[in-house]
Amino acid sequence: MSTTNVYDRLASMGITLPPVAVPAAAYVPFVRSGNLVFLSGHIAKRDGRPWVGQLGRDMDTATGQQAARAVAIDLLGTLNAAVGDLNKVERIVKVMSLVNSTGEFTEQHLVTNGCSELLGAVFGDKGAHARSAFGVAQIPMGACVEIELIAQLSAAA
């Protein structure tokens, strides 16, 4: 897997990277500091609109995982725009996930696996990352999941 091009892996999974989304408030989609790239939180979208729902109320864990996977694809599109070539990614360092969920829902970590598993499939060992997954009372626009990411680039990038 280490010799396979990231874009070949994406193509084999039927994934086309989206363009960077226009920020919905006063922030930028990414910031690069040295060899680290910090991606702002991306909300789950379905058919180009916020994927609205609350885990434990009107959405189950499996659907939440699909939403987190959709967020990962959007994050990859932004990361691609930030670095110009995803093959320059040395490591996905950290993922932080916010899951719009009821007080009784306790599977935020499983929802977030939808993102983490895709990053592992795309980057192999370089996709293994530290992670936090939180349950929150609400996310902007009623989205079910929001995820941010930190990536390290190779020294030559």
Side-chain angles (χ1 to χ4, degrees), residues 41-53 59 63-72 74 98 111 139-147:
H42 286 50
I43 62 168
K45 292 182 181 173
R46 182 170 48 184
D47 301 323
R49 299 192 333 222
W51 193 329
V52 175
M59 185 176 283
T63 305
Q65 288 172 335
Q66 293 170 3
R69 185 180 190 278
V71 175
D74 284 346
L98 305 173
V111 167
I139 292 176
M141 294 178 265
C144 55
V145 179
E146 179 175 354
I147 302 174

Side-chain angles (χ1 to χ4, degrees), residues 73-155:
I73 293 169
D74 284 346
L75 286 165
L76 289 171
T78 300
L79 185 57
N80 186 61
V83 304
D85 182 357
L86 291 176
N87 292 299
K88 295 178 182 177
V89 172
E90 184 67 30
R91 177 167 204 103
I92 302 299
V93 177
K94 173 86 185 217
V95 166
M96 187 181 78
S97 174
L98 305 173
V99 179
N100 181 351
S101 51
T102 65
E104 295 77 31
F105 186 81
T106 60
E107 295 185 343
Q108 291 84 359
H109 61 297
L110 298 177
V111 167
T112 305
N113 280 349
C115 175
S116 295
E117 290 170 359
L118 180 64
L119 293 173
V122 170
F123 292 106
D125 291 342
K126 294 179 180 183
H129 52 270
R131 187 179 90 178
S132 300
F134 300 96
V136 297
Q138 194 53 265
I139 292 176
M141 294 178 265
C144 55
V145 179
E146 179 175 354
I147 302 174
E148 64 180 49
L149 180 146
I150 301 169
Q152 178 185 351
L153 306 180
S154 62

Side-chain angles (χ1 to χ4, degrees), residues 9-60:
R9 274 185 242 133
L10 289 167
S12 74
M13 291 184 261
I15 295 173
T16 301
L17 295 179
V20 177
V22 176
Y27 63 91
V28 294
F30 61 86
V31 171
R32 184 168 173 178
S33 179
N35 284 349
L36 295 177
V37 178
F38 298 79
L39 302 187
S40 294
H42 286 50
I43 62 168
K45 292 182 181 173
R46 182 170 48 184
D47 301 323
R49 299 192 333 222
W51 193 329
V52 175
Q54 188 174 50
L55 279 291
R57 185 188 72 201
D58 54 14
M59 185 176 283
D60 64 16

